[in-house]
Amino acid sequence: MRPELLGGGLCLLGALLACGPGVDERDSPDGTYEEEGVLRKPLRVDVEVLDPESADLHFRVWGIDFTPSMNVHVIGVGLTTEFVSKTQLRARLNPLLVKDMPEFPVEVRVEPGDVVYMSGARSPSITVSMPVPELHSLTPDVLEANPTAPVHIAVLGKNLVHGTQAVFRGIWYPVTLSSTRLGELWLPPEALTPTSGKQSLYLEVPRPRLLDTPALSLTVTTSPPVASP
C-alpha cells in the first residue's frame, strides 16, 4: 500500500475513535442517560362521587411502596394527590375531565427531579369504571293507601347528586340530599291510591352520567277498616 494512503486511513481511524459512536438524542448534557423508572401497578382503585353539589370524583388508590412524591394521573392529567400511607393515595377529580367516558385509565407518576427517580417514573395504568348511582333502601317501604297528607320517605344510597329524582308509578318527584348517600322525598296523597300488582321506586341521577338506579319495592296497602263504636 502506498504510504500516503496508509497515512490517510490512520488519520480517519483516529478521528472516529476521538468522536466516539455519535450523539444519542437521549443523552443528557453531562453525557449520561437515565431512563424513566417503572413503578408498581396499583392494586385497586375505588372511585365514588364525593360531593352532591359538584359531583366531583374521589379516588382511593391502593398499592405498594407509595411515597409522598407520587401523584395520581387520569388520562395523563395530574391530580392533586394526598399521601395517606405506603399503601394508599387519595385524589379528587372534576368529572368534566372524563365526561361521557364509562371507563378511563388511572396511573401513578413521579415527576422528574425526584431524589429517587431523577428522570421521573410511572406505573402501568389500571382501567377504572365511572361510579354508578345505587339505591340501597327506602324507609318506610310499606305505605298505607289514600293518606290525608304527603308521606315522607328516607332514602339510603350511594353516588347521589343534587338534581336526583325519584320515579314512582311513572311520575318524577324531587329528592333532597344531605350527602351523596342520604336523602328524602315526599309522596303526595294522590300518588298513593290503591293499585293491584307489585309497586317499585327507582332514582334517576343526572351526573356524572345520566343513569337510573335499580328499583326497590314500595308497597301500597289498603288502609285497615275502622272498627264501629
Side-chain angles (χ1 to χ4, degrees):
M1 178 180 291
R2 290 185 297 175
E4 59 272 23
L5 293 178
L6 178 59
L10 290 175
C11 289
L12 178 59
L13 177 60
L16 289 174
L17 291 175
C19 293
V23 178
D24 189 328
E25 63 180 4
R26 301 175 302 172
D27 287 347
S28 60
D30 62 1
T32 63
Y33 168 65
E34 294 180 355
E35 186 176 359
E36 185 179 51
V38 178
L39 304 176
R40 294 174 184 265
K41 183 176 183 179
L43 300 178
R44 189 177 84 245
V45 179
D46 298 328
V47 187
E48 64 178 282
V49 177
L50 181 66
D51 182 354
E53 180 64 38
S54 67
D56 281 0
L57 304 182
H58 184 221
F59 290 77
R60 288 187 180 91
V61 181
W62 304 90
I64 299 173
D65 295 333
F66 288 148
T67 69
S69 61
M70 294 180 180
N71 292 297
V72 178
H73 282 240
V74 173
I75 58 172
V77 177
L79 309 181
T80 300
T81 302
E82 175 190 358
F83 172 77
V84 179
S85 68
K86 290 184 177 180
T87 60
Q88 185 184 168
L89 301 174
R90 293 182 184 174
R92 182 169 177 163
L93 171 71
N94 186 317
L96 292 177
L97 183 64
V98 289
K99 186 177 184 209
D100 299 325
M101 296 177 64
E103 296 182 336
F104 45 87
V106 175
E107 63 186 35
V108 176
R109 294 188 189 181
V110 175
E111 298 302 322
D114 181 71
V115 293
V116 177
Y117 300 98
M118 290 300 297
S119 295
R122 67 168 63 187
S123 72
S125 64
I126 182 171
T127 300
V128 174
S129 298
M130 179 73 76
V132 298
E134 301 174 12
L135 177 58
H136 298 159
S137 68
L138 302 170
T139 306
D141 59 3
V142 177
L143 307 175
E144 288 188 1
N146 301 317
T148 57
V151 177
H152 176 267
I153 299 177
V155 173
L156 176 64
K158 186 177 179 181
N159 298 321
L160 308 179
V161 301
H162 291 324
T164 294
Q165 298 187 84
V167 183
F168 180 63
R169 292 180 172 176
I171 299 177
W172 281 253
Y173 301 94
V175 177
T176 302
L177 297 175
S178 56
S179 72
T180 59
R181 295 175 178 267
L182 299 174
E184 61 180 3
L185 66 123
W186 294 84
L187 291 181
E190 58 269 23
L192 300 174
T193 55
T195 304
S196 60
K198 182 179 179 180
Q199 303 296 300
S200 62
L201 180 148
Y202 66 89
L203 302 181
E204 182 183 86
V205 182
R207 297 174 293 157
R209 292 188 298 153
L210 179 61
L211 291 172
D212 296 338
T213 69
L216 292 183
S217 175
L218 185 62
T219 303
V220 179
T221 63
T222 303
S223 300
V226 178
S228 300

